[in-house]
Amino acid sequence: MVHVYNCHPFSSQQIVQVEQEPGLICCGGGALFVVATGGCKVEAYNLEKEGCPLICRFATMGTVKSIQHSQMGDYLVTIEEKNCATYLRAYTNWRYQAEGKARVAVRLLGHLLRGASVRGGLQMEIIEIPLSERPVAVACCPVTGDLLVGCENTLVLFTLRGPNQQSQNQSPQMVESSWTNSQQSSSQSRGPHTDSNPNFLDFERSVILHLSQMNPKQVALCGEYVAVQGELEVLVVKLETSSEPKTLEESSDTKKTDHLEDQADFQVLPRHQELLGDRAKDCDIAVSVEKTGLEDITGQYTLSYVLFRRFTPDFFQGCSVEETRLHSLQLYPLFTGNQSVSLQEPLCVFCFFSLPSTGYLYSLKGGVELLSLYQYPETVLKAVLTDYLLHVITKSALQCFTVRCAAVAARIEDPYIDSTMKACPPCSMEVCALRIQLFIGLRSLCVYGHHVILLSAADAETTEEPERTPQRRGLSRKWTISSPKETSTAGHGWNLYVVDTVSPLTLYQEMVEYSQRYAETNPQAQSLRHLLSEAHLLLRVSLLQTSEQQRIIEEDSSLSLQTDAEGPAEKRDSAELEEAFKQNCAQLGDCFSRGSQRECHLALPYYRMSGLSVTELMARNRPLSGSPHCYGPGFLFYLKHYLFEETEQILSQEAADEVIDIFSQSEPSQLVSACASPSLINISSAKTLQILQHLEDTAGVSVPLTTTMATMMLRLDDLPEYTRLMERHAEMVLVYGFIEEPRLLLHGEHTHIRPTALTRQLAKSQPGLLVAAVVALHENNKVQLEHADHIFEELHCENCLQVDFWEAMLMASSQQTIIQELLFRVASVYIDRLTNTPSETHSIGPHMPSKHRPLKSADDLINSCSHYGALYPWLIVLNPAHTTSSQHQEALYKLQSLLCGPSLSVGSVMPLMERLSDETLWGFSLHLLCATRRGQYDSSIEKLLDRCPQAIIAYANHHLQDNHMVLWWQKLLPELCNRTRVAADNSILLAALKETLVVVAMETSPTEFLELMPDDGTVSYFLPYLLTCSQRHLLA
């Protein structure tokens, strides 16, 4: 389906004064080239000046049958006939004919002239390009300037070579740079001392493609893409060069010839086919690559199929061959403003071709896709694709259709398109036709920039009458003929028109004006949305062209003065485009905000791109008084995303209260989430509390609702009512409520996390609830550990609550990386407390004990957390009760419990342990724990016997077991014997020796026990233990 809108894309027209009837026309490089009917002369007219004055005219060597201009290299290529022979020629440096220079050099392809052309004389050159077959069609690449020639069964690709490129392969970027420099310095290269002609161009035959079962009628070339059009089919292939040698399969022409001979007596009508991408290789047209001998320079060519389309005339439906004759084949590149300066490959390449009744537009890069199907109201003779319009002509009219090139380019240029941040109309959106401009007897069409060139030739039997130029009401456009002498169609039967199109911004403004009639009658009409989407794509193209033009100007250092002069105007135009783009996004957001539920989500990205504030958008969507309409689903979708995503924009009280009113009327279930938004921090607490109480009366009591009401009471400084509301539910139930709505406790995102007023109140009155809630938020992936730490730091509770949080996290978390991090943190805190807190019970000084009591004692952690181990029995001997302050003792017990547990890595805390002295018993106990955890039992036994021998048996009973049992008689027994020998009256050592001998007697044999007895020992002392050992051995 094609939408039709009465918007006029043309601004003015003028008639080009030519002396003879034009036969062929083409344009490029700011010039219009006209070939007289049956003549051998080309005239060039300046399209950029008023009246299109003549630039130059020059003769050709034969009758021109086809003519094309290449923007890259600024050369013309023609197919000419002379003496029943067909020739292919290229005309370079044709602009020098404007200076009245008659010198013209003629040479063969690849042959250098030893005359003025090489020495630097400025003259036009005609390059004769020999071919083995008759040329049928030619095309020039808009990216590289290469030349593609279509013959009867082959395609020949010629690579354009600039100065000093005859024997080396240079990139297209260098070629373009050399052409640009040569054109700018042409006036400086006329001196006799110039060694070579900087404008010298030549071609090299780079590759030959052989086609089977297809006779080219039209060809197109764009970068690596080659398109060929036959009578009923279109084939697009991709030629890529590779430095790796690759063997190309030779095509078997004999089989194809035999196949054609077998069917010579039949008329075969192939079926209709459309093959895209890799499937195109399944078509019945074989393409083979012939080597030219330049593979060592240019690399090996690899060919891949891209697109194949075949049409079949339906004779049974009255369809004739003429109605299925293809025309207007075109490969169109589109560059984006974000491309690198040195990158010449376009990001988008489009393929267009047309039947007399239907046009087809395909996108080739990033996946082959049919973008648009154009249904023409009349038989179309020619069509030309541009950035934002498709121009077509019939016998009596010029018409424009919109295109989807900008939609494709936008998605390639911006990865955030089609997200909640940005949007763009879809590539598959139906196209629209704009107003028709009537002419008489149109024959040909070509386009350069905003100039549309038309050739009309009325039939002899046509009634001659002046051309009608209908005007649309309310428009002040002037349709003028710029020539000083008016030419009437009565004088001759042909005219050459130059019709200027309006700028995309002007066409956009008319589309917006046109859309007002839909907005007034039916704001939700599909036509309004479609028209605004078309206007959106126009602005995108214009912004794309603006960025590309600025990029090109910045590249050219020679245009620096011009840039300075035109800079303010260009910036002003760019600012107008940006402003129009934002206005269009706002209008599209309005459409989708009131649209159906299926597309209402698009209001969010369009409103974001509009740059309007929430207050402005609420004003745009506010229902009129007495209107039955309420806020649309799209606007509510936008408002929820705005409020539920963290944002730093804080609304005024008036705007915040309006938001609460909107949700209370449209979506009461979202009121709690809206009240928790940091953007609504300025809402009226009393008014909001009334709305929440009404919601509770109608919807029932819920934990998030109760907590929100308590927050409002807190803002009103009503602490008794706040306490009553918070006591409605148990603490664990409140924790589940905070999980459901975390923003009741936390505002902001990333590094800007900050506590709410409710969080600060909980830190004072219910710290346990706050810690449990933050732990639950972390375990449910609502907040990260570093953000939670930042919250407790913001509360300014020293590090007490933060340590409580870490201890609670150790009880709840199962992530090993987090557990190890938390174990190190709490161990460092315990060590810091032991270092900075005086151990005396009655201490007076700068280090006063904290008023905050830990939420969990050491016994609580030992009983509820597996990372805290029960204290070893020998530690009780080293920790006399009531000899240290309670805070000091609590930190000591927790650190000892961590060292007794299975999880803490002792090596990680050893550098911190050096801060603790071992002069005190509690300090000695910590160092002894670390040494024991590291397996240093021998030294630990010695230290313990030195400092606290009464604990040695408890230590040995706990640690000297299993693999370490031998230490009883290998280390402990000799140590005790030696020490009791020195201090025989030491009762503690004697008691420890007796306990040790009991263990040794139970674990060794009598022979081993005898060997362990000291030589100078008293037999009567050891005899009972030897008897016990012997009796146990006999019983065993």
Side-chain angles (χ1 to χ4, degrees):
M1 177 181 175
V2 177
H3 297 257
V4 180
Y5 299 120
N6 193 23
C7 299
H8 209 303
F10 308 113
S11 60
S12 64
Q13 75 178 33
Q14 52 187 328
I15 295 179
V16 183
Q17 298 299 311
V18 293
E19 297 177 357
Q20 298 180 359
E21 180 180 357
L24 297 173
I25 60 172
C26 76
C27 54
L32 167 63
F33 302 96
V34 180
V35 180
T37 303
C40 300
K41 183 174 63 175
V42 177
E43 295 179 345
Y45 297 88
N46 194 334
L47 287 173
E48 302 298 337
K49 293 185 178 180
E50 187 73 17
C52 299
L54 179 69
I55 299 176
C56 66
R57 59 169 58 93
F58 55 89
T60 60
M61 299 181 67
T63 304
V64 179
K65 296 299 182 182
S66 176
I67 184 170
Q68 294 286 335
H69 176 268
S70 174
Q71 187 77 16
M72 300 292 291
D74 194 26
Y75 68 88
L76 288 167
V77 60
T78 62
I79 297 178
E80 303 176 9
E81 285 187 359
K82 186 175 184 181
N83 299 330
C84 298
T86 305
Y87 302 91
L88 180 67
R89 296 186 174 100
Y91 293 79
T92 65
N93 302 335
W94 56 269
R95 294 184 188 269
Y96 293 140
Q97 295 299 306
E99 302 177 6
K101 298 184 179 295
R103 290 191 302 175
V104 176
V106 182
R107 62 181 177 88
L108 281 175
L109 173 75
H111 288 255
L112 306 182
L113 299 179
R114 296 297 177 182
S117 174
V118 178
R119 294 193 302 268
L122 303 180
Q123 61 184 1
M124 186 176 76
E125 285 191 344
I126 303 176
I127 303 174
E128 193 84 32
I129 304 176
L131 295 168
S132 59
E133 298 182 20
R134 184 176 67 88
V136 177
V138 293
C140 302
C141 177
V143 178
T144 63
D146 293 347
L147 177 63
L148 179 67
V149 183
C151 301
E152 293 181 355
N153 293 111
T154 59
L155 301 178
V156 185
L157 178 63
F158 293 90
T159 303
L160 180 63
R161 299 300 182 196
N164 302 323
Q165 285 184 287
Q166 296 307 305
S167 60
Q168 56 183 336
N169 183 28
Q170 294 188 10
S171 63
Q173 296 89 339
M174 299 174 66
V175 177
E176 180 184 11
S177 177
S178 63
W179 287 328
T180 305
N181 294 334
S182 65
Q183 290 174 6
Q184 293 173 1
S185 60
S186 60
S187 60
Q188 302 174 6
S189 61
R190 302 177 186 178
H193 300 290
T194 308
D195 296 331
S196 62
N197 187 356
N199 296 324
F200 174 77
L201 299 177
D202 202 5
F203 299 90
E204 286 181 354
R205 183 184 284 106
S206 58
V207 67
I208 301 174
L209 303 180
H210 294 272
L211 307 176
S212 68
Q213 304 183 39
M214 187 175 186
N215 297 323
K217 300 298 180 184
Q218 275 189 299
V219 292
L221 177 64
C222 181
E224 298 176 334
Y225 292 90
V226 175
V228 56
Q229 170 193 304
E231 288 285 353
L232 297 172
E233 58 274 325
V234 173
L235 175 66
V236 181
V237 296
K238 188 175 183 181
L239 271 178
E240 297 178 281
T241 56
S242 174
S243 58
E244 299 178 1
K246 201 168 186 179
T247 303
L248 296 172
E249 298 180 358
E250 297 291 338
S251 61
S252 54
D253 296 334
T254 56
K255 290 184 179 180
K256 299 171 188 175
T257 306
D258 296 340
H259 177 73
L260 293 175
E261 289 177 356
D262 293 340
Q263 297 182 357
D265 298 333
F266 301 95
Q267 178 65 33
V268 180
L269 293 178
R271 61 187 177 89
H272 180 85
Q273 248 181 335
E274 182 187 39
L275 302 175
L276 306 180
D278 293 337
R279 293 181 56 217
K281 66 178 180 296
D282 298 330
C283 68
D284 55 0
I285 298 178
V287 182
S288 60
V289 180
E290 178 185 339
K291 297 181 180 180
T292 61
L294 297 176
E295 286 76 16
D296 294 338
I297 299 177
T298 61
Q300 298 288 342
Y301 281 96
T302 58
L303 183 140
S304 59
Y305 288 79
V306 176
L307 166 66
F308 178 74
R309 186 73 188 258
R310 171 177 282 140
F311 301 91
T312 303
D314 193 352
F315 295 107
F316 298 100
Q317 298 296 329
C319 180
S320 64
V321 176
E322 290 296 329
E323 294 177 355
T324 56
R325 189 179 300 277
L326 290 165
H327 62 78
S328 303
L329 176 66
Q330 188 177 357
L331 288 178
Y332 188 78
L334 190 61
F335 293 87
T336 61
N338 287 343
Q339 283 188 256
S340 171
V341 173
S342 61
L343 180 62
Q344 289 300 309
E345 183 181 359
L347 289 186
C348 309
V349 177
F350 304 94
C351 179
F352 177 82
F353 51 87
S354 181
L355 294 170
S357 59
T358 311
Y360 300 86
L361 178 61
Y362 286 87
S363 174
L364 301 184
K365 299 199 70 172
V368 185
E369 177 188 5
L370 176 62
L371 292 181
S372 304
L373 192 66
Y374 295 91
Q375 299 288 346
Y376 305 134
E378 298 180 51
T379 299
V380 167
L381 305 177
K382 181 95 182 270
V384 177
L385 177 68
T386 64
D387 285 344
Y388 66 102
L389 289 176
L390 173 70
H391 301 278
V392 302
I393 59 169
T394 64
K395 287 185 177 181
S396 59
L398 167 66
Q399 189 169 12
C400 296
F401 294 84
T402 56
V403 296
R404 300 291 167 259
C405 300
V408 177
R411 285 167 171 81
I412 294 178
E413 186 183 34
D414 193 340
Y416 293 101
I417 291 291
D418 300 325
S419 66
T420 59
M421 301 301 299
K422 296 180 182 180
C424 180
C427 302
S428 58
M429 187 177 68
E430 296 170 342
V431 298
C432 75
L434 305 180
R435 185 177 177 183
I436 296 175
Q437 180 65 33
L438 299 177
F439 289 89
I440 298 176
L442 291 180
R443 296 294 178 87
S444 187
L445 161 73
C446 61
V447 179
Y448 175 77
H450 66 281
H451 305 292
V452 180
I453 297 93
L454 303 173
L455 173 61
S456 68
D459 297 332
E461 62 273 11
T462 303
T463 305
E464 296 179 355
E465 60 181 21
E467 182 195 353
R468 296 173 294 171
T469 57
Q471 298 282 334
R472 184 184 168 190
R473 294 179 184 176
L475 298 179
S476 60
R477 298 197 181 92
K478 248 171 122 179
W479 291 74
T480 61
I481 298 175
S482 58
S483 61
K485 182 172 67 175
E486 190 173 273
T487 304
S488 172
T489 55
H492 50 74
W494 49 266
N495 267 322
L496 191 58
Y497 300 95
V498 176
V499 181
D500 291 340
T501 58
V502 299
S503 66
L505 180 59
T506 304
L507 186 56
Y508 157 79
Q509 293 168 347
E510 185 170 351
M511 283 187 171
V512 172
E513 177 188 342
Y514 191 84
S515 67
Q516 294 304 314
R517 66 182 66 183
Y518 295 109
E520 294 171 358
T521 56
N522 185 7
Q524 301 181 16
Q526 185 68 26
S527 297
L528 172 62
R529 190 177 310 166
H530 185 273
L531 190 55
L532 291 176
S533 298
E534 291 286 4
H536 183 90
L537 292 179
L538 284 176
L539 292 176
R540 280 196 177 273
V541 170
S542 196
L543 289 170
L544 189 68
Q545 291 176 338
T546 300
S547 60
E548 178 68 11
Q549 290 170 359
Q550 291 176 350
R551 183 179 69 88
I552 293 174
I553 291 175
E554 290 172 1
E555 290 175 31
D556 193 351
S557 59
S558 65
L559 294 179
S560 58
L561 296 177
Q562 182 179 353
T563 304
D564 295 339
E566 298 180 359
E570 291 174 356
K571 291 180 180 179
R572 184 171 59 252
D573 293 342
S574 179
E576 290 180 3
L577 287 172
E578 292 286 352
E579 183 62 29
F581 184 78
K582 291 180 179 180
Q583 291 176 0
N584 175 261
C585 290
Q587 292 168 339
L588 279 171
D590 293 341
C591 289
F592 289 111
S593 69
R594 305 182 183 93
S596 63
Q597 200 74 27
R598 184 172 59 90
E599 295 180 328
C600 67
H601 65 280
L602 292 174
L604 173 62
Y606 281 115
Y607 274 152
R608 278 179 167 170
M609 291 190 296
S610 71
L612 297 178
S613 64
V614 179
T615 306
E616 293 171 319
L617 292 176
M618 285 192 297
R620 294 175 72 97
N621 286 271
R622 192 176 295 130
L624 299 176
S625 57
S627 172
H629 299 290
C630 58
Y631 292 94
F635 174 70
L636 293 176
F637 182 80
Y638 163 80
L639 199 56
K640 284 187 288 187
H641 266 265
Y642 174 82
L643 296 177
F644 300 164
E645 294 181 0
E646 299 300 336
T647 176
E648 297 300 324
Q649 183 180 357
I650 298 177
L651 300 181
S652 63
Q653 179 178 345
E654 182 181 358
D657 290 342
E658 185 176 356
V659 171
I660 295 298
D661 290 336
I662 291 173
F663 279 105
S664 65
Q665 298 171 16
S666 304
E667 288 194 44
S669 61
Q670 300 294 330
L671 270 174
V672 172
S673 297
C675 292
S677 173
S679 300
L680 303 186
I681 195 70
N682 293 326
I683 55 175
S684 171
S685 302
K687 181 180 179 181
T688 305
L689 189 60
Q690 294 178 356
I691 296 175
L692 294 176
Q693 288 173 343
H694 176 72
L695 176 63
E696 186 181 60
D697 295 338
T698 56
V701 178
S702 69
V703 177
L705 178 58
T706 301
T707 313
T708 306
M709 294 171 64
T711 303
M712 296 299 121
M713 288 297 181
L714 192 60
R715 293 182 182 178
L716 294 172
D717 294 330
D718 192 346
L719 291 181
E721 188 63 24
Y722 160 80
T723 305
R724 186 189 69 81
L725 288 171
M726 293 298 289
E727 290 176 350
R728 276 188 181 182
H729 307 283
E731 284 196 355
M732 282 309 299
V733 178
L734 290 173
V735 168
Y736 288 123
F738 291 131
I739 295 174
E740 187 176 345
E741 186 47 73
R743 292 182 302 169
L744 291 170
L745 295 177
L746 314 174
H747 278 174
E749 59 182 352
H750 306 306
T751 58
H752 302 289
I753 291 287
R754 59 189 183 278
T756 62
L758 178 60
T759 304
R760 298 184 183 277
Q761 179 61 31
L762 289 177
K764 298 177 184 177
S765 59
Q766 295 175 282
L769 173 59
L770 176 60
V771 169
V774 178
V775 170
L777 292 180
H778 179 273
E779 292 304 298
N780 287 272
N781 299 320
K782 302 291 185 179
V783 66
Q784 297 180 9
L785 181 61
E786 55 270 22
H787 296 161
D789 289 339
H790 182 71
I791 287 295
F792 288 107
E793 292 171 2
E794 286 283 326
L795 292 174
H796 304 296
C797 298
E798 301 175 357
N799 63 353
C800 303
L801 266 185
Q802 191 170 18
V803 176
D804 291 334
F805 166 69
W806 292 342
E807 294 172 345
M809 281 291 299
L810 284 173
M811 291 188 288
S813 180
S814 60
Q815 303 178 37
Q816 283 302 317
T817 54
I818 292 181
I819 289 173
Q820 290 302 320
E821 173 68 20
L822 292 174
L823 286 172
F824 178 79
R825 290 185 184 183
V826 295
S828 62
V829 169
Y830 299 153
I831 294 173
D832 184 68
R833 289 179 178 177
L834 291 173
T835 304
N836 298 325
T837 304
S839 59
E840 291 76 10
T841 306
H842 305 287
S843 61
I844 301 176
H847 299 290
M848 297 299 296
S850 173
K851 297 180 181 179
H852 173 78
R853 295 190 59 185
L855 296 178
K856 295 289 183 181
S857 65
D859 293 334
D860 294 333
L861 292 174
I862 292 172
N863 295 329
S864 59
C865 182
S866 62
H867 306 295
Y868 288 82
L871 298 183
Y872 300 148
W874 56 271
L875 287 172
I876 300 175
V877 182
L878 297 178
N879 294 335
H882 309 296
T883 59
T884 60
S885 64
S886 59
Q887 185 178 4
H888 187 276
Q889 188 173 19
E890 192 69 26
L892 175 63
Y893 286 169
K894 288 182 178 180
L895 183 56
Q896 289 177 338
S897 177
L898 272 185
L899 292 172
C900 293
S903 303
L904 178 65
S905 174
V906 177
S908 64
V909 297
M910 282 304 296
L912 301 177
M913 293 294 294
E914 296 177 356
R915 298 167 52 193
L916 298 175
S917 172
D918 60 354
E919 295 179 357
T920 60
L921 277 180
W922 60 265
F924 170 70
S925 69
L926 294 174
H927 285 281
L928 193 63
L929 273 173
C930 292
T932 303
R933 284 285 302 275
R934 300 174 73 179
Q936 300 172 358
Y937 294 104
D938 291 358
S939 61
S940 298
I941 291 173
E942 294 176 2
K943 292 178 180 179
L944 194 56
L945 288 172
D946 291 339
R947 295 290 300 273
C948 189
Q950 60 266 33
I952 189 62
I953 296 302
Y955 179 88
N957 284 330
H958 190 85
H959 294 292
L960 304 185
Q961 302 293 329
D962 300 328
N963 296 333
H964 305 294
M965 181 66 74
V966 295
L967 292 176
W968 280 92
W969 52 86
Q970 290 183 357
K971 181 64 180 178
L972 183 57
L973 181 60
E975 283 288 334
L976 288 173
C977 290
N978 294 332
R979 292 171 186 267
T980 54
R981 185 180 297 113
V982 175
D985 58 344
N986 193 324
S987 59
I988 297 176
L989 291 176
L990 289 174
L993 179 59
K994 291 179 181 180
E995 292 291 337
T996 303
L997 287 172
V998 170
V999 174
V1000 172
M1002 295 298 295
E1003 297 295 334
T1004 61
S1005 65
T1007 305
E1008 293 172 340
F1009 190 86
L1010 284 172
E1011 293 178 354
L1012 294 173
M1013 292 177 60
D1015 295 338
D1016 58 346
T1018 305
V1019 175
S1020 61
Y1021 186 84
F1022 292 98
L1023 190 59
Y1025 301 103
L1026 178 60
L1027 179 61
T1028 302
C1029 179
S1030 300
Q1031 291 174 349
R1032 184 190 60 79
H1033 184 70
L1034 290 174
L1035 291 176

